């Protein structure tokens, strides 16, 4: 089981953003990513929203950096860590345009892209760009298929769908990876089925630990029924974490304490079939966040698999 990090600053939902992020900027984002790179994290992740309607700005926050811009920025300042969009609402963009952007990120990063995709949930975003909100599930299915073709090995990719079609159009540069991993986000039955049938992995959304075993059993059943035999990465988002004994109120739902205790708790995810966990640390500033990332990588990570 490996571990990744949803980066601070780039998305600032009131559900998880720390107060210090409101005045943070590029260097804070960069330092967190560099720390994760040094500390052995498998990936760093960034979110996606094109525009937040006024009616949702209070609940969702209005700060959402562009994921392609962030991942390209991170490609130039990190060396090893993989770069995940968690998740890109690819239905808001033409697949050829999205493929050009993400292929470029993969090329610039030396083959470190993981393309996480999701259906989206904000009607006004879809309406603003002329995308089909009511049919966003079918739209995502077609976008994933089109992206598979456009991010594949062919310089002149070919795709024929109900909404999109292309051929005889060169797309260079090609990704470094022969197959860019596609992880599908969402916890609805349709999203889980989409992950199994079209993805290389599943990114749950809001599933607590006690709901994961049933979801993972369903994934296994769907894969068996589909005859799927290739690698498939099951993810989970952990509770908020704090390595050590906090001297401030980190919240009753935060897992905190000695590295051994945290590792023992997190190993439960592996025991139920999770392959990668995404973590988020409580912090009061960039320095404390970097300390937490480094402590987790040095003291907790090595204990997760034995």
């Amino acid at each position: 089981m490996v571990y990744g990090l949803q980066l601070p600053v780039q998305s600032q939902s009131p559900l998880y953003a720390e107060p210090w992020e409101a005045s943070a900027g590029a260097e804070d984002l960069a330092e967190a990513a560099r720390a994760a790179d040094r500390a052995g994290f498998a990936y760093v992740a960034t979110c996606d929203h094109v525009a937040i309607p006024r009616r949702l700005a209070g609940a969702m926050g209005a700060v959402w950096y562009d994921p392609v811009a962030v991942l390209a920025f991170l490609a130039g300042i990190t060396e090893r860590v993989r770069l995940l969009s968690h998740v890109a609402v690819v239905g808001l963009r033409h697949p050829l345009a999205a493929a050009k952007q993400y292929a470029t990120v993969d090329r610039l990063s030396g083959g470190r892209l993981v393309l996480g995709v999701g259906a989206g949930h904000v009607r006004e975003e879809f309406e603003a760009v002329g995308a089909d909100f009511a049919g966003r599930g079918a739209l995502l299915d077609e976008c994933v298929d089109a992206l598979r073709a456009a991010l594949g090995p062919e310089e002149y990719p070919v795709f024929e769908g109900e909404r999109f079609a292309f051929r005889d159009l060169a797309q260079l540069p090609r990704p470094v990876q022969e197959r860019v991993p596609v992880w599908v986000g969402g916890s609805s039955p349709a999203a889980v089925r989409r992950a199994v049938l079209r993805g290389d992995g599943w990114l749950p959304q809001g599933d607590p630990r006690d709901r994961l075993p049933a979801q993972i059993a369903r994934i296994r059943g769907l894969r068996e029924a589909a005859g799927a035999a290739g690698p498939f990465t099951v993810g989970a988002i952990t509770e908020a974490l704090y390595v050590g004994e906090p001297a401030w109120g980190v919240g009753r739902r935060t897992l905190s304490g000695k590295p051994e205790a945290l590792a023992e708790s997190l190993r439960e995810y592996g025991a139920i079939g999770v392959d990668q966990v995404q973590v988020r640390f409580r912090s009061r500033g960039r320095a404390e966040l970097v300390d937490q990332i480094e402590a987790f990588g040095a003291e907790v990570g090595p204990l997760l698999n034995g």
Side-chain angles (χ1 to χ4, degrees):
M1 188 172 65
V2 299
Y3 45 93
L5 175 70
Q6 181 71 239
L7 288 167
V9 181
Q10 51 81 32
S11 70
Q12 296 184 31
S13 166
L15 293 175
Y16 50 73
E18 299 286 7
W20 66 267
E21 295 179 51
S23 59
E27 190 55 31
D28 303 285
L29 178 64
E31 279 302 303
R34 291 190 190 108
D37 197 27
R38 294 190 304 266
F41 281 64
Y43 65 80
V44 290
T46 182
C47 299
D48 181 26
H49 277 292
V50 167
I52 305 300
R54 192 181 300 273
R55 70 178 178 89
L56 294 176
M60 293 179 60
V63 178
W64 298 84
Y65 286 29
D66 179 80
V68 177
V70 172
L71 295 179
F73 171 63
L74 299 177
I77 63 170
T78 57
E79 297 180 356
R80 182 205 56 81
V81 70
R82 294 187 71 98
L83 308 172
L84 168 66
S85 58
H86 187 176
V87 290
V89 186
V90 292
L92 298 175
R93 304 160 179 91
H94 192 287
L96 274 183
K100 169 67 75 173
Q101 293 174 311
Y102 285 107
T104 302
V105 169
D106 195 66
R107 175 64 57 174
L108 292 175
S109 67
R112 292 188 279 138
L113 174 69
V114 180
L115 180 57
V117 301
H121 65 95
V122 179
R123 177 183 295 275
E124 289 90 336
E125 283 187 306
F126 282 75
E127 293 174 346
V129 301
D132 180 11
F133 179 77
R136 63 193 182 280
L139 174 61
L140 176 56
D141 288 343
E142 185 164 325
C143 282
V144 171
D145 294 344
L147 283 164
R148 285 286 195 199
L151 290 171
E154 300 299 324
E155 179 179 342
Y156 291 88
V158 177
F159 180 76
E160 188 75 36
E162 293 184 8
R163 298 167 176 82
F164 308 108
F166 46 84
R167 64 172 58 244
D168 298 325
L169 294 169
Q171 273 227 322
L172 294 175
R174 307 307 307 143
V176 171
Q177 300 178 87
E178 291 186 8
R179 180 182 175 91
V180 172
V182 176
W183 293 354
V184 178
S187 294
S188 68
V192 172
R193 176 175 291 275
R194 181 178 299 115
V196 168
L197 298 181
R198 286 182 159 82
D200 304 299
W202 175 57
L203 295 166
Q205 183 175 352
D207 289 270
R209 290 195 200 202
D210 59 359
R211 283 172 47 186
L212 286 172
Q215 293 280 45
I216 293 170
R218 183 165 185 267
I219 287 171
R220 289 172 175 165
L222 288 169
R223 281 175 57 79
E224 182 177 353
F232 189 86
T233 302
V234 174
I237 301 175
T238 74
E239 303 84 349
L241 302 178
Y242 192 91
V243 183
E245 299 297 338
W248 56 288
V250 296
R252 63 182 179 86
R253 296 181 180 177
T254 298
L255 295 180
S256 63
K258 295 180 179 180
E260 295 80 5
L262 293 180
E264 180 179 3
S265 178
L266 295 176
R267 281 197 296 267
E268 294 178 6
Y269 285 100
I272 62 175
V274 170
D275 302 301
Q276 64 87 8
V277 289
Q278 184 173 121
V279 299
R280 182 181 290 272
F281 301 102
R282 296 301 317 274
S283 63
R284 292 166 292 179
R286 183 177 85 190
E288 186 170 33
L289 175 59
V290 169
D291 286 346
Q292 284 288 302
I293 292 170
E294 292 175 343
F296 187 91
E299 302 173 31
V300 181
L303 304 177
L304 291 184
N305 296 293

